[in-house]
Amino acid sequence: MQQDRAVKASLILTTLVVLLAAAYFARPILAPVSFAIFTVAVVWPVQEAAQKRMPKLAATFVTLFATIAAIAVLGYLVVWAFGHVAQWLVANTARFQSLYQQATDWLDTHGIPAHAMMANSFSPNWITSALRGIGGQGYGLLSFLVIAFAFIVLGLLEVDIARANIERLESRALRESLLRPAQEISAKFQQYMMVRTTMSLLTGAVVWAFALVAGIELAIAWGVLAFVLNYIPFIGPLIATAFPSLFALAQFESWSLALMVFACLNVIQFFIGSYLEPRIAGAKLSLSPFMVLFAVFFWSFLWGIAGAFIGVPILIAVLAVCADHESSKWLADLLSGGKQKRIA
């Protein structure tokens, strides 16, 4: 009996490793498809409400337009904020040159040949490699968006068809085992986005207020960037923290003040992103804060930035499915800290 359990555990572990390896190597397809399924689940109430007042194809167009408009607004805010930052950067180039000179002189006096190191680092090959890397990232983002958009369109058109096919199944238990978790997952996805948006707005407002009180220029731009980039866990807040700190260094021409700004911004990001948000999300979605953070790190390791965004929704879906079956309910209770409950 004990030997059978060991064999079964080995098979489960081997299967899990194979599935994770497949998810890693198939990320160019699986990541945008997962994002598309998540988006369909979130925006479906808009589609369902629109279908009551217009034909299905027109309702799909309205839903797609609303989704694209929301993404476009976020993109415009990023472009607007970075545009103001770029203008400030051009107008204050002399400050950065002066700070660079001071830093390299200080390093040279302490035995670190900063001038020689920087001269060797900035070469045509380095610039070419950087441009190629940016181009590759841009191509990857474009392919991601194209694949995700195609599956979003198909998903919105086929939600009713899939539901009707499931409802025609003869087995009532099978129908309920498919429909009930799907409805639960969709409702929790919508709650997750509400929590995420609320926390992003809070982060943007606090960063804006801090920049205003601290006298940092472009306070509105920093608040906008903190709001938008907060949708990308950990990576976005890092960018939203580093840029204001660098500009505070150029504005105040003081390393100590820049470090203080950097520390304060990190405290804000840590409190909201690593303490407040996981607990609010956990309370509303029956998730363990530890598992929320783990999901972000784990899926960002597998799928990069897309995985960082989609990691928590994947965790929500897995826990909802496990909680719906008696044989796996123990796993859902274990991972959620025993807080799993249904959404009415």
Side-chain angles (χ1 to χ4, degrees), residues 18-36 136-137 140-141 143-145 147-148 151 298-308 310 314:
V18 171
L19 290 176
L20 292 177
Y24 175 78
F25 289 106
R27 63 187 181 278
I29 296 296
L30 291 182
V33 169
S34 300
F35 178 79
Q137 292 292 329
L141 177 61
S143 62
F144 179 93
L145 292 176
I147 295 173
F151 277 96
F298 179 76
W299 287 102
S300 62
F301 168 75
L302 287 182
W303 290 351
I305 296 177
I310 204 70
I314 291 175

Side-chain angles (χ1 to χ4, degrees), residues 58-120:
T60 302
F61 174 79
V62 170
T63 305
L64 286 173
F65 178 80
T67 304
I68 295 173
I71 296 174
V73 168
L74 294 177
Y76 171 78
L77 290 174
V78 172
V79 172
W80 175 85
F82 273 118
H84 280 68
V85 171
Q87 292 177 5
W88 191 94
L89 177 63
V90 172
N92 294 271
T93 304
R95 295 187 183 183
F96 285 97
Q97 291 177 341
S98 175
L99 287 169
Y100 168 78
Q101 188 64 42
Q102 292 176 15
T104 52
D105 290 342
W106 184 86
L107 291 173
D108 286 336
T109 58
H110 288 76
I112 302 176
H115 286 287
M117 292 172 59
M118 296 300 292
N120 293 331

